[in-house]
Amino acid sequence: MEFSQRGGHRLRQLLHWLLFYAVYELGSGQVHYSVMEEAKHGTFVGRIAQDLGLEVGELVSRLFRMVSPDRRDYLEVNVQNGILFVNSRIDREELCDRNPVCSIHLEVIVDKPLQVFHVEVEIKDINDNPPMFSFREKNLFIPESRVLDSLFPLEGASDADIGVNSELTYRLSPNDYFTLDMQNNDEQIKPLGLVLKNLLDREETPELHLLLTATDGGKPELTGTVQLQITVLDANDNAPKFEKKIYKVKLAENSLNGTLVMKVSASDMDEGINSQIIYSFARDVSSNILSKFSIDQINGDVRVIGQIDFEESKSYEIQAEATDKGMPKMVGHCTILVEVMDTNDNAPQVAVKSLSLPVPEDSPTGTVIALISVSDKDSGTNGQVTCSLSPPGPFTLVSTFRNYFSLVLGSPVDRESVPAYDLVVTARDGGSPVLLATASVSVAIADVNDNAPAFEQPLYTVFVKENNPPGSHIFTVSASDPDALENAIVSYSLVERRVGDRPLSSYVSVHSESGKVYTLQPLDHEDLELLQFQVSAHDAGFPPLSSNVSLQVFVLDENDNAPIVLPPHSGVNPVTEMVSQSVAVGHVVAKIRAVDADSGYNAWLSYELLPEVGVAHIPFRVGLYTGEISTTRVMEELDGPRQMLLVLVKDHGEPPLSATATVSISLVESQKALKASPGVSRSMASAGKAAVALDVNVYLIIAICSVSSLLVLSLLLYVALQCSVPSQAVYGPGKPTLVCSSEVGSWSYSQQRRQKAFSGEGGAKIDLMAFSPNFPPCSGPTDKKEREEAGSNKENEPKNALEKINFKVKTSQRLCTLED
């Protein structure tokens, strides 16, 4: 049962659509109804919603409305049931005068989507107007000398109805002298007159009172009457006679005042004063004709004296008379038919009926934007209107029905390229010269979320010093969105990932509105050298769009770790080294080894022997960078049996950090030294091995110096490239730049993995140490040669960044040469 109901409903919908399609194909979308004039309020006209194929339940939601061109509310639609009914009194004669076809044209407009239907309601005539004569009483003066069958023209009655309701028949009250004469011909008028059947005798019957009755053909019949007062005159036998009963002439509208319309002429067979004729319009001619035309009493010239407008009246019917000067006066009659010719004196009229604005930028082609109506009061070619659209763009005009055009989207639009269009619709008629009219239409384009936020760079590099305070602002990301309103509101968030065994959000955070990136905890270069993550930018559109940018945060090292002395000299108690009194100058008696947890410049260690209080000349020295303690002269008895050496180990950080190591040296005889100092024996034994390893170390130092030189050259090239581009804000967008979030003191930064520097075992062993080539001036030299080198380096200290880098390269090469 439910299935059959659904099937029946679908069948009815299919039939409705077929009916609507058939009506549209036959009448370009027009529906025709008819209703009698003077119908009562609420009279049913038609089921307009059903006939147009619209669902009754959607009339309100789709903004169903009906528009009449003359803005009169003769008809109305009940949106609850879709029935068209009579809303106010309709007088056909007031609406259409005597036009044979009288219709009310309605425009039915619905939105979502925009549709336009044209409905024609024909107003049927009823017999509601009786025949009317111009005068209630008409006086006729007829000489008694008139012969039988003389015709005396009468003005007939008029009926405002049309068709059979306006077909009039006349009857004359019974009398002995006159009968009615009605001539049927192919002309536009049917002359009416009295025909004399019996001769008049003024002495016997000086006056006659007759009643002329006009009856229309309607049901029920309506009548109108006029009293004919006939006065029988004596004397003048012949009335003037026009050359034609009916004169026809064509007259262009807007003819100038004084323009000759035509010339009428009449003659009178009498002689003397009885043949002198005076021309005039009939007494019952309307005031409208008298305001537009005049006739010369002497020569019969009919001229224009008022405004002739084709749109006001297409023709004029003028009754003219020729009256002689006899006693009694005789009158002749004629009719002048003036046909007004149209000229192109009315420009087209353009009106925008409906607008669907703004237009979403993702609207499909073919979307109807506006309905435009055009009209021209002229007729024929002068009233044929064509429309054009300017400037050229994504919109076109499509003719829909008669004088209606639709503004249609012809190609896609993009709000980010053009946010609005100012269009001009130009209507031209077909007259000569061409008349035109314009209407402006402003079409705004509504934004849709079709653009994702965009960063200027895909990657930013940031430098941050370690041990930064929590909450430090290190960078600002910024993305732009060309959309509008909420579609352009950008918010930022971290793309969560894990850094080691901790989430990224425990290290950094980003402000959702400003895009500022903050650190949440102090960063430790020894624990984390490089932090890589992504920030996502989302807009507030629906659906939201997003894009990501990558950040590389390099954690710069600070000198926050002091050097640590390695065993065996790391304890509190000094280690005793046995030294023979007969050792040669330069003999290595001990070696201090130390490491620094920092990297680069901060991990570069130097060794310095602190002088002992009260001792003038110590026979030992320590290598500035090797930590080897060696003899500087031959041992003497004055040196005593025991020497306490205090070695200071410090880095090159700012400020420098240091540690100390204490070495106890005991002078013994040669054999005892060999037996008591196995370490020295081993050192002596390994001297041969050191000679072999020296060659290998030379090659290693050369390789390290080459790599350092390449690194310095790379840094020089990078600095040159950075100096050649325009400077940018530290936190602003742009090309990838080096950014220091705190005072670094130098732009150089070693991107190599930090390496701890420490001293190895064995005599004459050369320690290798990897560090950034920022060599400070050597401090605390212990011999003359080192002091001279330190003095020369200090004097040649570079004054700018480029000189500093060249200085570091030269110092590195010199160090490699010294080590070799």
Side-chain angles (χ1 to χ4, degrees), residues 137-367:
E137 183 176 306
K138 184 174 181 62
N139 294 319
L140 298 175
F141 300 91
I142 301 176
E144 63 178 347
S145 60
R146 295 299 294 267
V147 297
L148 295 176
D149 296 326
S150 294
L151 179 62
F152 304 95
L154 297 174
E155 181 186 6
S158 62
D159 195 323
D161 298 320
I162 63 170
V164 68
N165 294 330
S166 65
E167 294 179 0
L168 304 180
T169 58
Y170 298 89
R171 67 178 182 273
L172 189 64
S173 60
N175 66 90
D176 297 329
Y177 297 97
F178 296 95
T179 61
L180 281 176
D181 179 54
M182 297 179 61
Q183 300 179 12
N184 293 325
N185 51 39
D186 57 352
E187 299 296 339
Q188 296 181 7
I189 59 174
K190 296 180 179 181
L192 176 66
L194 293 177
V195 178
L196 185 60
K197 293 302 181 182
N198 292 314
L199 293 175
L200 295 174
D201 186 357
R202 190 189 64 81
E203 287 74 18
E204 181 181 351
T205 310
E207 291 182 353
L208 289 172
H209 301 280
L210 304 178
L211 182 65
L212 178 62
T213 302
T215 306
D216 61 24
K219 291 183 180 180
E221 296 178 346
L222 299 178
T223 60
T225 60
V226 61
Q227 286 286 339
L228 301 179
Q229 302 291 340
I230 300 174
T231 301
V232 181
L233 302 178
D234 199 14
N236 198 11
D237 297 336
N238 296 287
K241 185 177 182 181
F242 285 96
E243 293 178 352
K244 296 180 180 179
K245 291 291 184 183
I246 299 176
Y247 290 88
K248 294 182 178 181
V249 66
K250 293 184 178 180
L251 178 66
E253 69 169 326
N254 300 323
S255 296
L256 299 177
N257 289 346
T259 300
L260 178 64
V261 180
M262 67 173 307
K263 182 181 181 66
V264 296
S265 178
S267 60
D268 195 316
M269 298 178 63
D270 293 327
E271 293 181 355
I273 194 172
N274 292 330
S275 64
Q276 295 178 8
I277 299 174
I278 297 175
Y279 298 97
S280 65
F281 291 143
R283 286 170 45 188
D284 53 0
V285 170
S286 67
S287 59
N288 184 39
I289 292 177
L290 293 176
S291 66
K292 298 182 182 299
F293 301 96
S294 67
I295 186 170
D296 189 279
Q297 294 183 356
I298 305 302
N299 57 29
D301 290 345
V302 179
R303 295 183 181 275
V304 176
I305 62 171
Q307 178 67 31
I308 306 300
D309 189 359
F310 175 83
E311 287 70 42
E312 178 184 343
S313 179
K314 298 177 176 55
S315 63
Y316 295 93
E317 181 181 328
I318 307 174
Q319 301 293 331
E321 294 179 345
T323 306
D324 61 23
K325 294 183 180 181
M327 290 300 294
K329 299 179 182 297
M330 302 291 289
V331 180
H333 303 271
C334 76
T335 301
I336 303 173
L337 293 179
V338 181
E339 181 182 357
V340 181
M341 305 301 295
D342 182 43
T343 59
N344 192 29
D345 60 340
N346 291 280
Q349 295 180 346
V350 184
V352 180
K353 295 291 186 179
S354 181
L355 286 173
S356 294
L357 296 178
V359 179
E361 60 180 327
D362 59 349
S363 298
T365 56
T367 301

Side-chain angles (χ1 to χ4, degrees), residues 655-696:
L657 301 178
S658 63
T660 58
T662 303
V663 179
S664 176
I665 299 178
S666 179
L667 296 178
V668 295
E669 295 180 358
S670 299
Q671 295 300 325
K672 292 181 179 180
L674 292 175
K675 294 179 181 179
S677 180
V680 174
S681 300
R682 287 195 300 269
S683 176
M684 297 291 291
S686 63
K689 297 181 181 179
V692 178
L694 181 61
D695 295 335
V696 178

Side-chain angles (χ1 to χ4, degrees), residues 522-536:
L523 300 178
D524 187 3
H525 173 81
E526 287 71 38
D527 179 58
L528 181 66
E529 294 184 5
L530 174 62
L531 179 62
Q532 293 179 323
F533 59 93
Q534 286 186 324
V535 176
S536 179

